[in-house]
Amino acid sequence: MSRTLRLDPVLIQAVIAGALSFAHLHDLAAAAGQHGWKAWAYPVSVDLLLVAAWRRMRADTENRDAWLWFTIALVASLGANVATAGLLDLHNVPPWLRILVAGWPALAFLGGTLLAHAPAPAAEPERTEQHQVEPAPDVTVERAPEPAPELPPADPAAEYEPPQAAPTTPAVSVPPALLDHAQKIANAHQAQTGTPIDTATLRSRLGVPPALADAIALQLA
């Protein structure tokens, strides 16, 4: 896809302003004793710090460090523009300005490092639009009543049979002599243990069937 290059007046103005600021910083650094490539490195350092602080401000508008370093770089750029406008004798630069120019690389390195390693702002979770789902209309389906099934006629000749009671177990008769012997065993057990004798113990002592032991225990109770 081909793109046509358009001349934006704002872009042209930015290039001209950047070139003039670049030249002023170069002239000021050269007047302060920084010659050769060092004089050209100073405007690059100032502009890079300015751009880095501006990008950090755009990413995090509440970052105070970004505002601080942006102000420092802006003051350095504006100061060079004002100083080279005839208000300062570039052939006789004061010592304090030489000190500022000589200390600028360390200051720019500190600012660039702090801006580069600053924690990125936490991304806000995207808000998803919740679409309201309209409830489905209630649909009532009416059915015709089904005819009840016809029952066969009752047989009048059928006789009603009452339910038969469950067979009861015939009572077990206990001989009187066996009952007296069981009473003595129960008394002895209670005298030794302090508790009444249970059916299982009584059956094992007498050696009788379970049914007979139950009948004896019932009469001893």
Side-chain angles (χ1 to χ4, degrees):
M1 180 183 295
S2 60
R3 296 183 178 180
T4 57
L5 181 61
R6 296 188 305 170
L7 296 178
D8 191 351
V10 178
L11 181 60
I12 297 175
Q13 179 67 24
V15 172
I16 295 174
L20 292 174
S21 179
F22 195 90
H24 292 161
L25 286 168
H26 170 268
D27 296 343
L28 183 63
Q34 307 295 329
H35 303 289
W37 66 270
K38 293 183 290 184
W40 293 105
Y42 274 87
V44 175
S45 175
V46 174
D47 291 341
L48 286 180
L49 182 61
L50 193 66
V51 173
W54 175 74
R55 293 187 62 182
R56 180 62 62 179
M57 288 166 52
R58 289 193 61 186
D60 186 6
T61 55
E62 297 181 359
N63 192 334
R64 297 181 179 179
D65 293 339
W67 283 93
L68 174 62
W69 291 108
F70 182 81
T71 303
I72 292 175
L74 185 61
V75 169
S77 179
L78 292 177
N81 296 333
V82 174
T84 55
L87 299 179
L88 183 66
D89 186 6
L90 297 181
H91 298 286
N92 187 17
V93 178
W96 61 267
L97 183 58
R98 294 178 182 270
I99 295 174
L100 289 179
V101 173
W104 172 258
L107 185 64
F109 175 77
L110 176 62
T113 303
L114 294 177
L115 291 174
H117 295 281
E124 298 182 357
E126 298 181 357
R127 297 180 179 178
T128 56
E129 298 182 358
Q130 297 181 355
H131 300 281
Q132 296 182 356
V133 180
E134 298 182 357
D138 296 335
V139 179
T140 304
V141 179
E142 297 182 358
R143 291 185 176 181
E146 298 180 356
E150 297 181 359
L151 300 177
D155 188 5
E159 297 181 357
Y160 173 75
E161 296 182 358
Q164 298 180 358
T168 57
T169 305
V172 180
S173 59
V174 182
L178 182 58
L179 185 60
D180 294 339
H181 181 60
Q183 185 66 48
K184 293 178 181 181
I185 295 176
N187 294 338
H189 178 81
Q190 186 170 5
Q192 293 177 359
T193 61
T195 57
I197 191 171
D198 57 320
T199 305
T201 304
L202 182 63
R203 183 171 62 84
S204 63
R205 294 285 184 86
L206 295 177
V208 295
L212 184 57
D214 293 341
I216 296 173
L218 184 61
Q219 295 187 21
L220 292 179

